[in-house]
């Protein structure tokens, strides 16, 4: 039974990856987008924090703005890629492919996992590009290779949460424009009410409260701590725990909603 499930997941994953590689523009954007974000934002905003003797206190221990920004770019990549990644389910629904899938003995749960893993792999490529480029730009990962692996793991958990949200939206809305409009509406507030792009040392009190409830904060904070290799163990594990718990809850919600709409999962 387990082998059948894994085979079903692999079949969906393979179909998603084939569709991805057929779209040359998507491959191009997958490579170009993280490069643009890191280079343009990293160098464009670095002047705000240059020549400041209190730079490390302002930037949560990061030695410069591009080091501070790198975890934010990684999460931004996961946020946008994840929220748009699950929209392939809407394509399957609109063009009738989902009917073919459901008429076969494939596991309903495998459909969700296959699509989620395919999106995670695509975003993983982008995140590796960000990490390699950041190293070339002088960013230091003081926790070494293990820290980089942990950063990738955290970003994948966050990606899974975003894909799950996207899959849920694909089950509710009937057009791509409706999903894209909603995603565009929520992504910028999420980014700018977190500490992903800018340090929160000078935020007003009301914004600090919002930051504490923002899921991006719980992914970026431990990643930044790993980069400078300086963290409190309990706080570090708590932030990671929240990120993992969110991924579990949202993935189960996506599977529940899919089963509710298309039968037992």
């Amino acid at each position: 039974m387990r082998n059948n499930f894994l085979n079903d997941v692999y079949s969906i994953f393979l179909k998603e990856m084939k569709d991805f590689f057929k779209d040359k523009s998507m491959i191009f954007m997958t490579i170009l987008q993280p490069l643009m974000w890191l280079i343009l934002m990293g160098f464009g905003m670095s002047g705000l924090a240059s020549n400041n003797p209190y730079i490390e206190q302002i930037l949560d221990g990061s030695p410069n703005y591009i080091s501070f920004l790198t975890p934010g770019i990684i999460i931004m990549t996961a946020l946008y890629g994840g929220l748009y990644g699950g929209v392939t389910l809407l394509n399957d629904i609109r063009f009738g492919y989902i009917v073919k899938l459901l008429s076969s003995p494939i596991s309903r749960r495998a459909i969700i996992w296959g699509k989620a893993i395919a999106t995670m792999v695509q975003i993983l490529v982008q995140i590796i590009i960000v990490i390699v480029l950041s190293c070339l730009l002088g960013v230091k990962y003081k926790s070494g290779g293990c820290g980089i692996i942990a950063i990738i793991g955290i970003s994948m958990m966050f990606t899974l949460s975003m894909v799950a949200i996207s899959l849920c939206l694909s089950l509710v809305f009937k057009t791509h424009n409706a999903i894209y409009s909603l995603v565009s509406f929520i992504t910028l507030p999420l980014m700018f009410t977190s500490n992903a792009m800018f340090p929160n040392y000078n935020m007003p009190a009301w914004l600090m409260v919002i930051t504490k409830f923002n899921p991006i904060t719980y992914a970026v904070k431990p990643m930044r701590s790993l980069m400078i290799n300086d963290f409190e163990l309990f706080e570090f594990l708590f932030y990671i725990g929240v990120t993992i718990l969110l991924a579990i809850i949202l993935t189960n919600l996506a599977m529940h909603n899919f089963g509710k709409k298309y039968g037992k999962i």
Side-chain angles (χ1 to χ4, degrees):
M1 187 72 178
R2 184 180 177 183
N3 287 338
N4 289 339
F5 173 73
L6 293 177
N7 287 335
D8 291 345
V9 171
Y10 178 72
S11 296
I12 299 297
F13 166 80
L14 198 60
K15 185 259 182 189
E16 294 290 315
M17 295 306 295
K18 284 180 178 178
D19 290 345
F20 172 75
F21 283 115
K22 284 178 184 176
D23 191 343
K24 304 302 181 186
S25 62
M26 280 296 295
I27 298 173
F28 178 73
M29 287 305 299
T30 296
I31 297 171
L32 183 64
Q33 190 176 56
L35 298 181
M36 289 180 59
W37 280 343
L38 187 61
I39 293 173
L40 295 180
M41 293 194 68
F43 287 106
M45 303 294 291
S46 59
L48 294 176
S50 61
N51 301 321
N52 191 321
Y54 303 103
I55 186 69
E56 290 197 10
Q57 293 92 322
I58 293 172
L59 299 180
D60 292 338
S62 300
N64 50 59
Y65 183 70
I66 197 164
S67 296
F68 175 86
L69 180 67
T70 298
I73 295 297
I74 291 173
I75 286 302
M76 183 188 287
T77 302
L79 175 70
Y80 280 88
L83 287 175
Y84 287 114
V87 178
T88 58
L89 178 60
L90 181 58
N91 293 335
D92 293 345
I93 293 171
R94 291 187 66 188
F95 297 112
Y97 181 71
I98 196 71
V99 176
K100 295 179 182 178
L101 281 178
L102 296 173
S103 62
S104 68
I106 195 169
S107 166
R108 304 314 197 244
R109 191 177 286 109
I111 296 172
I112 298 298
W113 276 110
K115 288 182 174 293
I117 294 171
T119 302
M120 290 168 70
V121 169
Q122 294 163 25
I123 293 173
L124 175 61
V125 173
Q126 291 182 294
I127 289 171
I128 291 173
I129 291 171
V130 171
I131 291 173
V132 171
L133 179 62
S134 67
C135 290
L136 294 175
L137 294 174
V139 174
K140 306 295 183 184
Y141 292 82
K142 294 185 179 180
S143 54
C146 292
I148 291 175
I149 292 171
I151 287 171
I152 291 173
I154 294 167
S155 65
M156 288 296 97
M157 286 297 99
F158 184 81
T159 299
L160 182 57
S161 297
M162 298 303 104
V163 177
I165 292 173
S166 182
L167 290 168
C168 288
L169 293 177
S170 295
L171 292 168
V172 174
F173 294 100
K174 295 182 179 180
T175 66
H176 292 85
N177 287 340
I179 295 178
Y180 294 156
S181 297
L182 182 60
V183 168
S184 299
F185 178 75
I186 64 175
T187 47
L188 284 179
L190 276 174
M191 289 302 301
F192 289 109
T193 56
S194 72
N195 61 347
M197 297 290 118
F198 305 102
N200 56 11
Y201 79 100
N202 206 24
M203 286 183 178
W206 64 269
L207 191 55
M208 286 287 291
V209 172
I210 295 175
T211 300
K212 292 183 184 299
F213 290 95
N214 190 327
I216 293 178
T217 299
Y218 290 90
V220 168
K221 180 69 174 178
M223 291 167 63
R224 196 164 280 144
S225 298
L226 284 165
M227 288 188 66
I228 63 174
N229 199 23
D230 181 21
F231 50 82
E232 267 186 47
L233 183 60
F234 176 79
E235 181 185 57
F236 177 76
L237 293 176
F238 174 73
Y239 276 69
I240 290 179
V242 170
T243 302
I244 294 173
L245 182 62
L246 184 66
I248 293 171
I249 291 172
L250 290 174
T251 303
N252 277 280
L253 178 63
M255 289 191 291
H256 170 77
N257 289 350
F258 188 84
K260 190 175 178 181
K261 185 168 184 176
Y262 292 110
K264 188 177 179 181
I265 196 162

